[in-house]
Amino acid sequence: MNLKELETLDLSSNSLAMEIPIDIGNLSKIIRLDLSCNNFNGTILSSIQNLTKLEALSLENNLLIGEIPSWLFNIKGLKSLLLGGNHLTWNNNAKIMPKFMLSELSMNSCGLVRKIPQWLAEMEVEFVILSNNRFTGSLSPYLFDSQNLIALSLSQNNFHGELPSNIGNATKIGVLMLDENNFSGKVPESVTNIKSLHLLDLSNNKFSSNTSPNFSSNENLSIIDLSSNEFSGEISTKFPYGTISLSLGKNKFSSNLSRKLTNMRKLKYLDIHDNKITHELPNSISQISTLQILILRNNSLKG
């Protein structure tokens, strides 16, 4: 704590078990403070707000408790705020008017409830990780008007309703994880406008339709999980040539398997269990030489 010129302090991924030292606020020139992946306990100390030059704060994956302090949102230069994986709670009565412009926010497993705050939807954050909370309501269309959003994880919450039709406006998204919620209705066709998308996880929701978006032009999309929904009709063949993993299990797909599935010449994992697939398994499936895992159980295949 006597290193007054220190600008970066990274103690991450150790076995430090203690409260965060109160005099850490004396390191007035700190720009990046990373205490993640330890066993720090206690609360987020108020002395951290004295670090007025702070741009990146990571306290992820510790044993911290108590409320997420509202003063964190007054650190004007803060660009990265990572608090997930603690035992923190959120004061839903606090009126937050952030003074910063974040590029990275992780608050997974923080017991957050109600709707995503409007200020976050309008902030143009690049990385938003809010999984394993208790958020409810529908998603704000403002969230997808961002031209900066790269990764969005809202897994394991209680969101419901249809996805905003403008989801495809966020054209830079590479990772979109909306699994384990209560979303319903069709997946908007505009999602195919996100050409940078490489991982799409919509599993464990209530999406339903007998047609799915045409992903065949999404060349970067390699991991697709639509399992545990209420999709019906024939299994689409409109997936990218470069698909590596395709999970369609626990839906209501019917009819026979199309020979066009062999167009996915990089496919390693194909799961269509617990559907209503009938007829014989086409011999053409053996043409997918890259296939390593094939799960067909609980269908009505013959022959």
Side-chain angles (χ1 to χ4, degrees):
M1 297 307 162
N2 295 322
L3 303 176
K4 303 301 183 184
E5 300 298 313
L6 208 60
E7 296 182 353
T8 294
L9 177 58
D10 186 346
L11 301 174
S12 62
S13 299
N14 282 288
S15 302
L16 297 170
M18 57 188 294
E19 292 189 1
I20 298 174
I22 192 169
D23 48 355
I24 203 165
N26 297 335
L27 302 178
S28 58
K29 293 190 177 182
I30 285 284
I31 295 174
R32 177 174 173 262
L33 177 61
D34 190 346
L35 305 180
S36 62
C37 302
N38 280 284
N39 294 308
F40 284 108
N41 52 57
T43 60
I44 298 178
L45 293 177
S46 59
S47 62
I48 290 178
Q49 65 187 310
N50 297 332
L51 307 179
T52 56
K53 295 185 177 180
L54 198 61
E55 294 182 4
L57 175 63
S58 180
L59 304 176
E60 284 189 303
N61 300 316
N62 280 288
L63 302 172
L64 297 173
I65 59 173
E67 284 187 2
I68 297 171
S70 57
W71 51 257
L72 274 175
F73 299 85
N74 295 328
I75 302 176
K76 293 181 179 180
L78 202 60
K79 297 175 182 176
S80 176
L81 178 59
L82 309 180
L83 303 177
N86 285 286
H87 304 292
L88 300 170
T89 57
W90 184 260
N91 181 357
N92 289 293
N93 296 317
K95 293 183 179 180
I96 304 295
M97 294 294 292
K99 295 181 179 179
F100 49 49
M101 284 300 294
L102 284 182
S103 62
E104 190 175 23
L105 175 65
S106 170
M107 298 173 75
N108 58 297
S109 306
C110 283
L112 308 181
V113 299
R114 300 183 184 177
K115 294 184 178 182
I116 289 182
Q118 190 71 8
W119 59 261
L120 175 58
E122 297 175 356
M123 189 173 276
E124 298 278 315
V125 184
E126 293 180 3
F127 298 88
V128 178
I129 312 229
L130 298 174
S131 55
N132 193 22
N133 283 292
R134 297 195 300 274
F135 281 116
T136 59
S138 55
L139 295 187
S140 169
Y142 286 109
L143 193 60
F144 298 101
D145 281 335
S146 170
Q147 296 302 303
N148 294 327
L149 192 60
I150 295 174
L152 176 64
S153 176
L154 302 178
S155 309
Q156 297 174 282
N157 279 284
N158 295 311
F159 291 111
H160 59 79
E162 297 188 6
L163 295 182
S165 59
N166 70 328
I167 190 171
N169 289 359
T171 55
K172 291 185 178 179
I173 293 182
V175 174
L176 180 58
M177 302 180 69
L178 304 178
D179 52 295
E180 296 191 49
N181 281 283
N182 292 301
F183 292 115
S184 58
K186 288 187 174 183
V187 178
E189 188 69 33
S190 70
V191 72
T192 63
N193 296 337
I194 310 174
K195 302 304 181 184
S196 57
L197 193 62
H198 64 84
L199 187 158
L200 175 65
D201 190 348
L202 302 180
S203 63
N204 292 282
N205 280 286
K206 297 177 181 177
F207 290 112
S208 62
S209 177
N210 58 5
T211 59
S212 60
N214 185 351
F215 290 108
S216 55
S217 64
N218 293 72
E219 296 179 356
N220 294 305
L221 186 56
S222 58
I223 301 174
I224 305 168
D225 193 341
L226 305 180
S227 62
S228 299
N229 279 286
E230 298 175 11
F231 294 111
S232 59
E234 287 190 30
I235 288 180
S236 171
T237 58
K238 298 175 181 178
F239 295 111
Y241 171 89
T243 303
I244 294 174
S245 174
L246 179 60
S247 301
L248 304 174
K250 288 192 174 181
N251 278 285
K252 298 178 180 178
F253 290 115
S254 58
S255 190
N256 57 335
L257 285 176
S258 171
R259 295 178 182 276
K260 291 183 179 180
L261 284 173
T262 60
N263 292 339
M264 292 182 282
R265 292 300 177 87
K266 296 183 179 180
L267 196 62
K268 295 183 178 180
Y269 180 98
L270 176 60
D271 179 3
I272 57 171
H273 80 280
D274 281 87
N275 279 287
K276 300 176 181 179
I277 308 299
T278 58
H279 299 288
E280 292 187 3
L281 186 67
N283 290 331
S284 56
I285 206 163
S286 63
Q287 295 176 17
I288 310 175
S289 60
T290 54
L291 202 58
Q292 297 176 4
I293 297 176
L294 176 62
I295 305 176
L296 304 172
R297 69 176 184 270
N298 291 343
N299 280 286
S300 297
L301 290 164
K302 302 175 183 178

